[in-house]
Structures are given as structure tokens and as C-alpha cells.
Amino acid sequence: MLMKFILLIAISFLITPSPSISSDTYIGKWEITGGSIIEIYQDGNNFYGKIDKRAKKPSSNINGLDNKNPIKELQSRSLLGMIILDKLSYKNGVLSGGTIYNADSGKTYSVKVWINSGDTNLCYIRAYKSIFFKTFKAKRIVIDSVKP
């Protein structure tokens, strides 16, 4: 068990983003495994991500509301358009220093988002709880230009 943990830590250091990734590279729509789409945008010096589309078959919050939110008054708000990536800063090719809200659990975690220079259409979102983390992959939504 300890060996697996050490191996995971070592691998996480090997997956390092490239400082050649500009802050603009993050802006756009990203589809997370499962089908949900997050739109990442910049406002001033901070980056945010909001839910643009939900998965076709969500595993929770079936009614499209923030049911699991620990603040009772927020449990009736719609998930669409809700900010889940909050106050991230760009530094050395990475977005970090902010939080990610998991509507499935109603919990908020520290987050780091990065793109490797080898494939700028693939984004990694890592949520942290203490020394533990979970990494999600997201693919850029590329809108084909309309051909006459």
C-alpha cells in the first residue's frame, strides 16, 4: 500500500506542465470524462470554470439542482452556469491557488489545473484533500468552422 502511494507521488511529479503553455490556452470549453462540460474563462487576474452542460446520465443531482450543498439556501440553485472552479491564478503554465466545488458531494477542494505542451487539447484537473488527490482528464471542445 505504501509502495503504491509513493509510486503515485513519483508519477505526479513526472507529469509536469510546460511553462510554454500560456494562460489563454486554458480558456474554452472542456468535456470531462462522463460528458459534463466546463467552460473556463478569465476575469481580471483570476480564472473560473462554470458548468456549461451536464452529463446525459448524471449519477447524482438528477433534478439538475445543487442538492448536496451544505448551505440549505443553495440547494435549489441550478447546476447549469454554476461556478465550480473558483479564483485560480496562472503561474508557470499552471492554474492553481483556487478551489473546485464537487456538486456530487457538496464539498470544496483545493485544485490545480494544467495542460502538457504535447497536447493542448487535453487538460488535467486535480482536486486535493490533504495529501490525497484525484485527477480528472478533460478534452477541449473544438468547434469546427462551418464550411460553405
Side-chain angles (χ1 to χ4, degrees), residues 84-108:
I84 61 167
L85 291 172
D86 196 24
K87 297 180 184 163
L88 283 86
S89 300
Y90 174 81
K91 185 176 179 183
N92 298 326
V94 177
L95 298 181
S96 63
T99 59
I100 185 168
Y101 175 70
N102 180 348
D104 291 338
S105 67
K107 296 184 180 182
T108 301

Side-chain angles (χ1 to χ4, degrees), residues 21 34 51 77 100 107 120:
I21 299 296
I51 299 174
R77 71 177 170 172
I100 185 168
K107 296 184 180 182
T120 57

Side-chain angles (χ1 to χ4, degrees), residues 61-138:
N61 301 333
I62 306 295
N63 62 0
L65 302 178
D66 192 14
N67 303 327
K68 308 282 175 128
N69 197 305
I71 302 170
K72 190 160 183 70
E73 296 80 28
L74 297 178
Q75 292 177 357
S76 61
R77 71 177 170 172
S78 174
L79 294 174
L80 285 179
M82 184 172 69
I83 294 173
I84 61 167
L85 291 172
D86 196 24
K87 297 180 184 163
L88 283 86
S89 300
Y90 174 81
K91 185 176 179 183
N92 298 326
V94 177
L95 298 181
S96 63
T99 59
I100 185 168
Y101 175 70
N102 180 348
D104 291 338
S105 67
K107 296 184 180 182
T108 301
Y109 303 95
S110 297
V111 69
K112 173 179 154 183
V113 180
W114 74 93
I115 297 171
N116 293 327
S117 60
D119 186 356
T120 57
N121 289 322
L122 184 61
C123 177
Y124 297 90
I125 303 168
R126 180 171 289 166
Y128 292 91
K129 181 178 181 179
S130 182
I131 61 169
F132 302 103
F133 58 84
K134 184 169 185 175
T135 305
F136 301 90
K137 289 182 183 178

